[in-house]
Amino acid sequence: MPLTPTITTLGLDPSQRAHILNGNAFQQDAILSFAGWQYVVFYSPKPESPAHKVVYVNLARRKLPDGVWEQMIFEDYEQTADDGHNTVQMGICPGDGTIHLSYDHHCGGLKYRHSVKDLTRYPTVFAWDAKLFSATFDHLPGILRSDAPFACLTYPRFGFLGSDMFFSARDGQAGLGDDFLCIYRAATGSYEYVGKHLKGVKNNPYVHGLHWQSGKLHVTWVYRDFVYYEGWDTPNTSAHQHAGPNGPGNNYNIYYAYSEDSGQTWKNGKDETVANLKKGESILPHSLGIMAFEIPKASGLANQESQAVDCEGGVHVLNRQLVDGELVWTTFYRSPSGKGVSQQNFVNGKFAVPPGSWTKSKICPAPSSTRGCLATSREGDIYILLPEPATRTLKLFKSPKESDFLHFAEIWAGEGFLGEPLVDRQRLENDNVLSVFTLRVGVELSLERNVVVLDFVL
């Protein structure tokens, strides 16, 4: 039978802005499930706001599999910057059931708020209301503003870390910055600053994803070299905030590292320690063994496209590169390594992919710079959502585990979608249901568009 999604509309997207705020590849996460409920965070225009100049953060929840969506609106914070970097993202701490939100920054000060405890562990106890959340803070609870780089922040992300949760973001500007890491402890209800796990040297790392799986925290990234320009160090300058001289043409190589102690120490793909943050160290561009693939500048390599880690510890990256002059979407896969994983790689009595090794596979031509999304299912298959903005088409591809992720088949295509799709990774891994956060528009040209969730029962 053909694959057909159920589509649910959550709210109006601020479509009169020049830049898309809802649905960007670097949002980790905008859609997330936990303990049988699903949560979505997005911006929607303030009623009667001219040209959608003012928008509010909205947070919605529903009981899975198909409960009615409840919504809350944070009317105490007005977002006005017309900049696609100023997204909103969400984290859930499993240990104390808190929800954490970070929003509206591009090379600016932190904006952050959190919920009361147990909100996601006992959801039916709480009436869904913005009063459950703190005010907007300019620092993380437990960390002084002077003890962490909260002043020039971009690309915040949250993620599970066992019963705790991590927070990470870039400090600095395009081509000239570092990524830092903090841990939220459920036991104390406060954050600890760990350090800068990825440090740039006249460049900056652009992270595909930071994901915890089976006791390991995995990260992949590209570097972008810095091009100096007049006024680059002027305080409060906006010259660097869009492509300018430091655009994606300066991206190069794909790198990988992992941590087995919640980000305190980091190892390369050969299981060698490359940075101990407790000693003030960081992963540097020249750290040994971190490069997975050498891809030169001007090869079409995107920043922050997509990463997923499957249940066996295999690492998957979605990006693109030039092949014979054509830009092609490509997956990069690292087979799991460590104790007990070698038997998982035997197929018909021989190794299909040796443990800890990288392979890559072409999917299809990439018609634009709009980024896609990759996620893994309960069975270990990978699903890839690829947008084609010129035709407002969204396509879904599948690569089964049995193929060693070398073959891809298009299993669905739909018209009337814009933006970069995002996926509820937890629901796909737990329930084999693919929930997709994206923007829905008419096939004909239209200014109005909606924030929607597509549900595919696989």
Side-chain angles (χ1 to χ4, degrees), residues 77-95:
Y77 185 89
E78 296 187 344
Q79 198 283 336
T80 59
D82 191 355
D83 185 333
H85 296 78
N86 292 50
T87 56
V88 54
Q89 36 279 308
M90 160 181 53
I92 293 176
C93 178

Side-chain angles (χ1 to χ4, degrees), residues 25 305-307 318 329 371-375 383-387 395-397 420-425 436:
E305 185 126 24
S306 191
Q307 173 190 283
L318 173 67
W329 262 306
R371 292 164 290 198
C373 185
L374 175 152
Y383 290 85
I384 302 171
L385 289 147
L386 301 179
K395 294 182 177 180
L396 176 61
F397 289 76
E420 298 175 343
L422 305 172
V423 169
D424 183 341
R425 301 178 185 279
V436 182

Side-chain angles (χ1 to χ4, degrees), residues 52-317:
H52 296 171
K53 180 175 175 59
V54 176
V55 302
Y56 291 140
V57 173
N58 288 239
L59 181 62
R61 72 173 183 180
R62 67 170 169 176
K63 183 174 175 58
L64 294 174
D66 53 6
V68 176
W69 286 98
E70 303 174 79
Q71 295 197 30
M72 67 171 70
I73 303 174
F74 296 96
E75 297 181 347
D76 61 339
Y77 185 89
E78 296 187 344
Q79 198 283 336
T80 59
D82 191 355
D83 185 333
H85 296 78
N86 292 50
T87 56
V88 54
Q89 36 279 308
M90 160 181 53
I92 293 176
C93 178
D96 68 2
T98 49
I99 300 176
H100 303 249
L101 304 175
S102 186
Y103 40 91
D104 194 22
H105 14 54
H106 187 191
C107 300
L110 176 69
K111 288 92 173 177
Y112 161 88
R113 70 197 322 157
H114 64 83
S115 77
V116 298
K117 292 184 177 182
D118 290 329
L119 181 56
T120 60
R121 294 203 297 173
Y122 308 106
T124 58
V125 173
F126 297 90
W128 196 237
D129 191 282
K131 294 178 181 178
L132 296 169
F133 281 77
S134 70
T136 296
F137 296 156
D138 60 1
H139 65 287
L140 298 177
I143 304 177
L144 299 176
R145 290 191 296 274
S146 58
D147 291 342
F150 294 144
C152 189
L153 185 147
T154 315
Y155 308 125
R157 63 183 73 230
F158 300 95
F160 296 137
L161 199 62
S163 62
D164 297 325
M165 185 190 71
F166 70 78
F167 173 86
S168 179
R170 186 187 75 186
D171 170 38
Q173 59 180 282
L176 198 65
D178 316 309
D179 268 45
F180 67 91
L181 182 67
C182 304
I183 298 176
Y184 176 82
R185 300 293 187 185
T188 63
S190 62
Y191 286 85
E192 302 169 5
Y193 179 64
V194 180
K196 293 187 174 182
H197 56 298
L198 300 177
K199 191 168 181 60
V201 179
K202 295 183 179 180
N203 57 20
N204 84 266
Y206 276 107
V207 171
H208 294 109
L210 189 60
H211 295 111
W212 185 87
Q213 181 68 265
S214 302
K216 290 184 179 181
L217 187 59
H218 302 264
V219 61
T220 59
W221 70 98
V222 304
Y223 279 112
R224 179 182 297 181
D225 278 350
F226 188 69
V227 178
Y228 289 92
Y229 58 92
E230 185 176 356
W232 70 272
D233 57 350
T234 302
N236 301 318
T237 182
S238 62
H240 63 279
Q241 291 196 349
H242 298 289
N246 289 289
N250 293 331
N251 296 343
Y252 61 94
N253 299 348
I254 292 179
Y255 297 85
Y256 167 74
Y258 73 91
S259 173
E260 296 174 298
D261 59 359
S262 300
Q264 302 282 349
T265 56
W266 291 87
K267 296 182 179 181
N268 61 22
K270 298 180 180 180
D271 305 320
E272 302 164 330
T273 300
V274 292
N276 186 335
L277 273 62
K278 291 179 286 189
K279 296 181 178 180
E281 299 172 351
S282 302
I283 301 172
L284 300 170
H286 57 268
S287 294
L288 294 177
I290 61 172
M291 186 172 67
F293 286 92
E294 184 175 6
I295 302 174
K297 297 178 186 178
S299 295
L301 195 64
N303 46 283
Q304 304 152 302
E305 185 126 24
S306 191
Q307 173 190 283
V309 182
D310 62 41
C311 59
E312 294 179 349
V315 179
H316 305 262
V317 175

